[in-house]
Amino acid sequence: MLKIAKNRLNELFAAIAEKQTLYIPVDREDGAAEYRKWENGCEMSGALNTVRSAKDFFFPQTENLVDFKMEGKNIEVIDIRKESEDFVIFGVKACDARSFTILDKVFLVDPVDSYYKTRRDHGTVVTMACTRPSETCFCGVFGIDATAPEGDAACFSDGENIFFKANTEKGQAFIDSISSMLEEGDTAKLDEVQAKTKSILEKLPLANLSTDSFGGARLKEHFNSDKWGELSEACLGCGTCTFVCPTCQCYDIKDFNTGHGIKRFRCWDSCMYSDFTKMAHGNPRLTQLERFRQRFMHKLVYFPANNEGEFGCVGCGRCLSKCPISMNIVKVMKALEVK
Amino acid sequence: MDKNLKEQILRASGVNVLKCMRCGKCSGTCPSYDEMEYHPHQFVYMVEKGDIEKLMNSASLYKCLTCFACVERCPRNVEPAKVVEAVRLAAIRQQGNNHLTPAMIPDMIDEDIPQQALVTAFRKYTK
Amino acid sequence: MQEAMIKRAKELLADGTVNRVIGWKKGEFFYDITPAVFETAEEIDADFVFDDFTSANVSKYLVKESKKEGKILAFLKPCDTYSFNQLIKEHRVVRENVYIIGVPGGPKLDIEKIKAKGITGVLGVKNENFTLKIDTLYGEETMPFYEAICGKCADCKSKKHVIYDELIGEDGDVLDSNRFDMVEKLENMTAQERFEFWREQLSKCIRCNACRNVCPACTCEKCVFDNPNSGVENKAASDSFEENMFHIIRAFHVAGRCTDCGECSRVCPQNIPLHLLNRKFIKDINALYGEYQAGADTTSRAPLNTYDTEDCEPSIVHERGVE
Amino acid sequence: MQVNNNFEPVIVAFCCNWCSYAGADLSGTNRLNYPTNVKIIRVPCSCRVNPMFILRAFQKGADGVIICGCHPGDCHYTSGNYFTRRRITLLYSMLDFLGIERNRTRLEWVSAAEGAKFAATMQQFTEDVRKLGPNRRLEDLRCRKQ
Amino acid sequence: MQRIGVFVCHCGTNIAATVDVKAVAEALGHEPGVVISQDYQYMCSESGQNLVKDAIKEHNLTGIVICSCSPRMHENTFRKAAASVGLNPYLVEIANIREQCSWIHKEIATATEKAIILGKAAVAKVHLNAPLTAGESPVVKRALVIGGGIAGIQTALDIAEAGFDVDIVEKEPTIGGKMAQIDKTFPTLDCAACILTPKMVECSQNEKIHIHSFSEVSDVKGFVGNFTVTIKKKARFVDETKCTGCGLCTEKCPMKKVPNEFNMGLDNRTAIYIPFAQAVPKVATIDPNHCMMLKTGKCGVCSKVCSVGAIDYKQQDQFIEEKYGAIVVATGFNPIKLDKYDEFAYNQCADVVTSLELERLMNAAGPNGGTLLRPSDKTHPHKIVFVQCVGSRCDDSKGKPYCSKICCMYTAKHAMLIREKYPDTEVYVFYIDVRTPGKNFDEFYRRAVEQYNVHYIKGMVGKVTPKSDGKIDVQASDLLSNEQLHIDADLVVLAAAIEPDKTARPLATMLTTQMDTNDFFTEAHPKLRPVESATAGIFLSGACQGPKDIPETVAQGSAAAAKAIGLLCKNSITCNPCVAHSDELMCNGCSSCEKVCPYGAITYIDKEFRMPDRTTAIRRVASVNPAVCQGCGACTVACPSGAMDLNGFSNSQIMAEVDAICK
């Protein structure tokens, strides 16, 4: 396998950044990690994951769609899209990588969301295999192998070297573009690291979580469950879980009056918010219970029902650590589990 | 009329002569009134007109006791004594000579004169 | 402590004093507790927990709970009692429907602080002589207890319960805290430095509204930021201005009402020190209009709802500190 | 810093109907000039000015915001301006805390009789804001004029 | 869809000279919603208004913007015009392009640009204007007059004459005020008592007038048409309903050394007293500070001699509450204290007196039975010096900044009366200016000089020194002859400045009316609304509003009465519709708004609501009384949820203006 010594990563980043914009996870002052545009001096974070997921690159929190200009009483419509530039996201973990597959099922099916598609087309996802999963990780539950991430190209670390493997043509092209810096390397140590990681993955406290009770067939049963009241009781109705989630894809479209025109933009919405899917007639989900139920039913029942059994969760564990009142999909799954 | 001189007097005295309503209470209250050619209210009025040369050349300047009765009584807070003082200083400065020399001091000393009066006089009447 | 609380809760349920208990419920792990209402002794026995991680302030839930049938038992830590008092003052809770047991406060621990040390795969924590022994998937780790305590507990303002029906454990005193140190430090920076500090912090905001929704002072039926008719409604910050706007107005709306319970910063997924904005208002109010602690009582007028004819002019802002 | 000599600040003045708005009228009656940059919004009392209006002005392109009310003790509604004083002091202090330039905001007491003070205040405020240059720290980039 | 009309006024050349009005009309015509945009010479003229009215009808306008002078000027004019053709008057907005644009700017290009922006802001606002209907609130047909001097008396008589009940609250035991103490009036030299006392009697006899003497206003609540006033009737220890005013008690009272305030302390009265013979009500009052019975419990003479048993030593202050539609303030004035002016030796020398003291010295009912004698030795003064402007026209640090207005005339009167009665007396008047604007005033002053030979000297007294021989040395300047004078006077009379009564300021707070820095009540408009305060339903009469002589006071008293009658005639009054209102669905009942409301217009009600979760709940929500709310908007900012908003100045309207200005 092609590899580069870990201490030469910065050289590699510099080479990539010369051609395309490069994003890598970096540590913030407060100890959390976030993706930032690579600049000289940026160190790749060793953290398990970023607070915000990598979905931001393809589906940003706010995105301008179209501009209107009013000239007297006439309205001019302006398409503000410019040719997107190519970019590389480096260091995406297996869970986030899978989230793109899920988002693709929403945005790339007919009608194709051209804003999303443009970004997908221009972005190259380079993943990084996990070596230190956390107690909150449960990607394995959704069939994700944290040691063998998807993405255009995958990287693996044995502690001293980073190994590269292409998963797609785009990934191969990426590796080709940096091949001058890579060399063939021995994977013996890597195999050892991988095996160790796998054994940890098996021991994870949430490893035995089961999806058997969920899927499209269970709609009525779960919808009418009497557990929702208790589960949603403490929910604050904030959007933390939604906004850190790599697979949540709901958005709202709004107009903003700049004073010299209108900007139509979309921004993430959260099913936890009281005005979620509010329509002219009012709101279909009037209580927090209904909104709370919506979020988990969507991930565990509706989404698989419409997508060949694929669940709308990748087990990244972000909602587990970020929910202000520690209510999360794992607790919901356990409560609703059909014994 | 010497505009600069007027400015100088106004600045030195800190008095706004335009506040005067010409009631004459300053002159009504002045203990040196009869000694003076120009009276306190005239000082204020003449400074306002810029007619300062006359004042500077008048002995009235040195008749003012600076007792501040006029300042105390003026209903408009004009402070005529400060105007007189400012004109007096201007006169001294312009004359270019000292009204008091160190040599004159010993003669002036007697039992009752306070030290401070001499120092003040010296500061006031010399360049 | 937990045993004493469980015992008392069961007694009060049994003798009919209350029909529900609000407290904290065990989670998947040792740290992920959830505020919960318990209705039976069995539920309490099974899940009630009170330990180093029960930092959540449950007083806001009483806005809703106190309006339900029957009386509810609430365990309130000192800081929570201030929030509750403030809610009484603003007629948001029905005092008669709540039986308050004051319980000791922190310092509570913050799992994020442990994880920020790079400790991952955490399975359990033991406090041995103020050293935390942390059991992880990768072996045991240690860290000093004080480095893991919750931000809001580190700056604790008071160990005194300002309202309760009974106490378990000793009541404490109002403390001389250094809680304004950071505000002061910022005040002493130049405007440019302050601007950069806040830009970096607020740019992290994802507008999840956790700070607002957890805040016991934010109990509006509908927040202006959720109300399309308010003219300022917005769901996500499309521009740095909107980040500033949200946080300025959020802090302004609780100015003089914020008890400094610290929940906003505790729940922020992006670790933005939001409490500094609230504390800035508190510090200004104390300095300009006299010491005032929101929630210390239920009758005094909030500083922004009263005035003194001799109040300072806003020019004081321009005259002091560093530009 | 780049100094733009052609910079004409946009200044929003909230004026209380009873004192400052009348003071502004008086400076008009007396033909006391102040810069055209100042645009007045009439409010019944300075206490009507919501901090959101001030921020909104900055968002939409204002470079300075000034609130004018009756002198303390003279409020037409007896106490409105006292509340204004507290609210606005705290708000301005907060803006300062966030690193927003202090001279972009002001609160002045201008009575109906103080036409000259109104004009002088506006003159001075406009100059102060002009010196600061365009509002960059509290602007909404989307609203920036092209 | 809105259909907005824009009308740009030239105001002759007032606007058109600096603002390109055609360009403004053209630019605003392109604004969204604007269907017609016109300019015209004088929009406020009959034909200008017709232009607006016709456009409203023709284009079926839903809102209009007038770009003209200040809304403080003609907002009402255009509102009325709109209303006359069926457009709600609150759908009218004014863009002030005269006072705030054309008059202050010189350059046409920038002034025009600004005018367009101001117009756009008004258009943006009018888009959001809602038709408002003024509410009505009933008027209590009763008036309160605070103060029973000539101002209050005149006002009360006029109001009663119109058929309305009116109460007079007077803090002294009798009405009459300062005029009762005056001997003669200028410029006619009528006897003051002769013209005042019939009016006092008329007050007491008029069924519509109710006098609360020895009483004070202790609390005022409510609003125009519906004030609730608490009146404190101070204990006088005499039952008013029983006392016949026979005066026997005052003769028998053993405590005879109480300074008589009616005679300015120049003689004494008894502890139980009737201020003067013509007092109304003619009822005795016990002065508790001097009555032996009340102080020590030993005496009781008055009670023994009173044949009707009117004396009641146990009487307590009594509080009565009454509702009024209108309140007239007539609290009058007092001469200032002269402690600050040592140079006039007022406190050192009994023969230095104030003009009001001179009135009593010369009055037939005064201490000397009308013979002018020096207070010190009861001898005839032969040289009298009058000093004008004592404490008036001063720097703030030295006295009152204003001219007390009445001194010049009463001094001429005094001088003339003295010269008339005692021709052997020399009278000197030191003056700064002699101010005599008034009908027959200057003639009066000239008569003093020409006919009565009063010596008017332009100059000011600098120092008054009592001498051991009983004479008083008056040192003064004579500015015209440029000399300093010394006059050996027998009597010196000081024309002390007058100031509002001390009770005025606390009263102003209760009434929520404005005062100037001198504690004179501020009128709603210095020229056009001189007898109304800015607070609706509160009127001003007499010297509480500024120094006034008797004819002016009477004129203002009648004017205030006319205004009050105008109000009382109405069965109900139209309220200002620009008031706050609370969106009950958003209100959380936190009480912030109530705390900042200066009028107590906000109350809380428990109301049942259908909640979003389909349940019903009883919620505490704010409710604004639109008749009490004055529309300041303090509550709108105190309300964090934005539930509270203000009609006519709503959050969205103001933000629309902000947007339009900033764009």
Side-chain angles (χ1 to χ4, degrees), chain B:
Chain B
M1 150 177 162
D2 188 340
K3 250 197 157 163
N4 284 337
L5 193 53
K6 179 180 172 186
E7 277 304 306
Q8 186 195 325
I9 302 283
L10 294 180
R11 209 173 46 240
S13 63
V15 166
N16 178 3
V17 288
L18 294 174
K19 278 167 76 178
C20 175
M21 63 168 166
R22 325 226 191 285
C23 71
K25 196 171 179 181
C26 46
S27 291
T29 205
C30 181
S32 297
Y33 187 95
D34 292 336
E35 311 284 318
M36 296 168 110
E37 179 190 2
Y38 298 112
H39 305 115
H41 71 278
Q42 289 172 292
F43 266 87
V44 175
Y45 187 52
M46 287 163 80
V47 167
E48 188 195 324
K49 282 197 302 180
D51 208 356
I52 294 164
E53 289 293 318
K54 271 190 218 153
L55 292 176
M56 287 173 61
N57 295 325
S58 166
S60 301
L61 270 188
Y62 308 104
K63 302 296 178 190
C64 169
L65 302 168
T66 322
C67 71
F68 275 26
C70 52
V71 172
E72 189 57 38
R73 305 273 158 80
C74 173
R76 308 282 313 154
N77 240 1
V78 177
E79 307 178 313
K82 293 192 181 172
V83 176
V84 177
E85 174 70 8
V87 177
R88 187 154 51 203
L89 281 175
I92 292 163
R93 283 183 189 154
Q94 258 181 24
Q95 282 162 11
N97 48 16
N98 294 326
H99 287 250
L100 208 60
T101 61
M104 292 158 77
I105 297 291
D107 292 341
M108 300 173 119
I109 296 176
D110 63 38
E111 293 281 287
D112 300 326
I113 194 158
Q115 280 288 311
Q116 204 179 354
L118 281 177
V119 175
T120 311
F122 201 73
R123 191 189 297 148
K124 222 180 230 177
Y125 296 120
T126 55
K127 261 176 88 181

Side-chain angles (χ1 to χ4, degrees), chain D residues 17 25 33-34 42 56 87, chain E residues 70 72 75 104 634 659:
Chain D
N17 181 49
D25 279 354
N33 185 273
Y34 56 86
R42 185 164 67 126
R56 172 80 157 222
R87 291 167 182 165
Chain E
S70 171
R72 295 169 60 85
E75 189 169 54
I104 45 167
D659 289 0

